[in-house]
Amino acid sequence: MKVINTELSDCYIIEPKVFGDSRGFFFESFQLERFKKSGIDFDFVQDNRSRSSKGVIRGLHFQKNKPQGKLVSVTRGEVLDVAVDLRENSPTFGKSLAVILNDVNNRQLWIPPGFAHGFSVLSEFADFHYKCTEYYDPQDEGGIIWNDEHLNIDWKVDSPLISDKDKLLPSFKEIFDNI
Ligand SMILES: Cc1cn([C@H]2C[C@H](O)[C@@H](COP(=O)(O)OP(=O)(O)O[C@H]3O[C@H](C)C(=O)[C@H](O)[C@H]3O)O2)c(=O)[nH]c1=O
């Protein structure tokens, strides 16, 4: 497995070792010792799966007091995956990263606790899988509006499909100017 640094501190792209043959392919999508040795030394307590159609944007979400680290990947289709560093003491605070994840490159993205996360769907549909380091707590949910001016993310989709809940999310400045 190859671990690639990104422009966001502690956020890594992971390229698993893929074994291809005439039947298809095989790769280990998670192996605790190998991840620990790569510096991703967390206990994962919850796996999530979602399916989204083309043009959907899910996010940007985070948990406020019980932040989740996420190891994200796409098992079918293609997404633009976005992470935003919300750690105020980080050298990359307020910076965002966008990475193409799909079922051809089999890339994973490690997003540490303290980041907001979201993705847009570029293929007809996308099956999304991620491991989390903290349990989901609906009372602890936070988020940033997808078209936030400060972050200015290019989601690469026209007329995105956003949940009613996500349409009401605050801006980056509403969150951090109040702190
Ligand atoms: C996240 C989550 C949701 N749910 C239930 C709550 C709702 O009834 C339903 C859909 O939830 P939501 O609309 O929040 O799902 P997403 O918009 O995909 O949320 C996720 O979107 C971005 C991409 C993330 O990184 C987060 O993991 C997560 O916030 O699943 C659960 O039961 N457990 C969970 O862990």
Side-chain angles (χ1 to χ4, degrees):
M1 130 180 154
K2 210 163 111 186
V3 180
I4 302 163
N5 286 319
T6 70
E7 52 266 43
L8 299 188
S9 164
D10 309 317
C11 186
Y12 308 124
I13 290 169
I14 293 155
E15 292 185 344
K17 184 172 175 51
V18 180
F19 298 93
D21 62 26
S22 56
R23 300 167 298 171
F25 68 75
F26 177 95
F27 66 90
E28 293 179 358
S29 54
F30 177 73
Q31 203 262 27
L32 184 61
E33 270 317 302
R34 196 173 301 133
F35 272 75
K36 280 186 173 183
K37 281 188 188 133
S38 308
I40 302 173
D41 186 357
F42 286 84
D43 293 328
F44 292 91
V45 297
Q46 179 175 321
D47 278 21
N48 294 334
R49 287 275 309 278
S50 67
R51 172 170 291 175
S52 310
S53 47
K54 191 175 181 117
V56 163
I57 295 177
R58 292 182 185 253
L60 295 155
H61 300 155
F62 58 93
Q63 293 197 165
K64 299 174 199 169
N65 303 301
K66 300 175 210 165
Q68 294 172 305
K70 294 169 189 166
L71 179 64
V72 304
S73 60
V74 168
T75 52
R76 282 300 297 268
E78 182 170 81
V79 310
L80 182 76
D81 201 74
V82 174
V84 182
D85 191 348
L86 304 181
R87 302 167 302 175
E88 293 183 81
N89 59 352
S90 164
T92 53
F93 170 64
K95 300 271 183 261
S96 64
L97 166 76
V99 179
I100 294 277
L101 304 177
N102 60 41
D103 60 8
V104 175
N105 65 28
N106 292 309
R107 280 180 150 191
Q108 300 168 306
L109 184 63
W110 163 244
I111 305 166
F115 282 65
H117 173 244
F119 63 86
S120 59
V121 179
L122 308 180
S123 48
E124 281 316 299
F125 72 92
D127 283 347
F128 200 77
H129 170 270
Y130 49 115
K131 302 181 78 66
C132 302
T133 62
E134 185 52 76
Y135 294 107
Y136 170 64
D137 178 352
Q139 313 304 321
D140 194 34
E141 281 192 305
I144 299 170
I145 191 79
W146 67 279
N147 57 356
D148 181 79
E149 278 183 16
H150 167 81
L151 299 176
N152 190 31
I153 294 161
D154 178 2
W155 294 95
K156 310 277 185 209
V157 294
D158 303 321
S159 51
L161 202 167
I162 316 277
S163 71
D164 291 341
K165 184 175 78 170
D166 285 356
K167 284 175 185 165
L168 302 174
L169 290 173
S171 68
F172 182 90
K173 279 183 72 61
E174 282 173 302
I175 297 171
F176 289 99
D177 279 5
N178 297 345
I179 287 178

